[in-house]
Amino acid sequence: MDAAPISLIQDAGWLSAQIALASRRYRTRDEAVLGVLWWYSASLVLLGPVVESSADPASVTLMVEPDGRVLSATASALCRDPGPRLREVIAASVDSLAGSTGASERALWAITTDSLANRVLWASGRPADAVALARAVGPELPVPRFVEVGGRTVVRRASCCLVYQTPGADKCVSCPRQTPAERDRRLGMI
């Protein structure tokens, strides 16, 4: 496993290598799709230490498997108010990823919202905690949304991971690119 400081996302060579590894995993060469898929995973991991321990987002190190999967993260410093620092890290990461892959910046910010909301719920936080942190990041980050499913609060996704655009994959159960009725049926809401 390799340790990758979060700033490496801004390194075009390193990021290109990560996208190439994702291409093998997902069996597609569509770089915009690969950028979205890679960020879907990386942002979820990046936000773990920030949400769980008020880590300084700029001090996060991603732990990257040899096949390119980002499975965990550590941080070396804490931050009293992570919102503005998180905005800087996400903005730089989104800018680099969009520039390298052609992925939509708007889609990448939406993915970040869903990652943030999920990390807050996983850390036993409340939806209001996710909304407050999102607002502290700034207006580029859409406000997280939530819904009750079977008595449990889950994220009402703003983003699509685009996995269905890879060979042999379907849309996720909670994919926002399906009709609301289909999504509700698949989530067991009706």
Side-chain angles (χ1 to χ4, degrees):
M1 192 172 324
D2 292 327
I6 198 64
S7 60
L8 268 181
I9 294 175
Q10 297 170 56
D11 180 301
W14 183 85
L15 187 56
S16 179
Q18 299 311 302
I19 298 304
L21 290 168
S23 179
R24 285 188 218 144
R25 231 181 3 269
Y26 293 108
R27 300 172 313 192
T28 185
R29 293 177 190 250
D30 186 327
E31 288 201 350
V33 169
L34 290 166
V36 167
L37 283 165
W38 187 84
W39 185 241
Y40 198 83
S41 170
S43 66
L44 190 62
V45 174
L46 154 67
L47 289 163
V50 176
V51 169
E52 294 165 11
S53 61
S54 296
D56 180 345
S59 78
V60 170
T61 296
L62 301 174
M63 304 310 292
V64 183
E65 293 288 325
D67 66 1
R69 291 176 299 144
V70 182
L71 300 180
S72 64
T74 61
S76 59
L78 298 179
C79 186
R80 287 184 192 265
D81 180 15
R85 296 282 286 171
L86 187 55
R87 187 207 174 287
E88 292 170 14
V89 168
I90 292 170
S93 298
V94 163
D95 185 56
S96 179
L97 198 51
S100 293
T101 66
S104 159
E105 287 189 18
R106 185 172 173 207
L108 297 171
W109 279 100
I111 286 167
T112 308
T113 291
D114 292 345
S115 293
L116 173 71
N118 275 311
R119 288 311 290 215
V120 167
L121 291 179
W122 295 351
S124 299
R126 299 170 300 122
D129 300 329
V131 170
L133 184 51
R135 287 193 172 131
V137 169
E140 298 88 354
L141 193 64
V143 175
R145 304 174 301 173
F146 300 89
V147 65
E148 294 292 319
V149 177
R152 189 168 160 221
T153 302
V154 297
V155 175
R156 180 173 170 224
R157 288 179 35 204
S159 69
C160 177
C161 66
L162 302 179
V163 74
Y164 76 94
Q165 292 190 12
T166 64
D170 291 323
K171 290 180 181 170
C172 301
V173 170
S174 60
C175 182
R177 290 195 177 190
Q178 55 193 340
T179 66
E182 177 65 10
R183 185 175 47 256
D184 289 352
R185 185 191 65 73
R186 292 180 72 199
L187 284 169
M189 293 175 64
I190 53 176

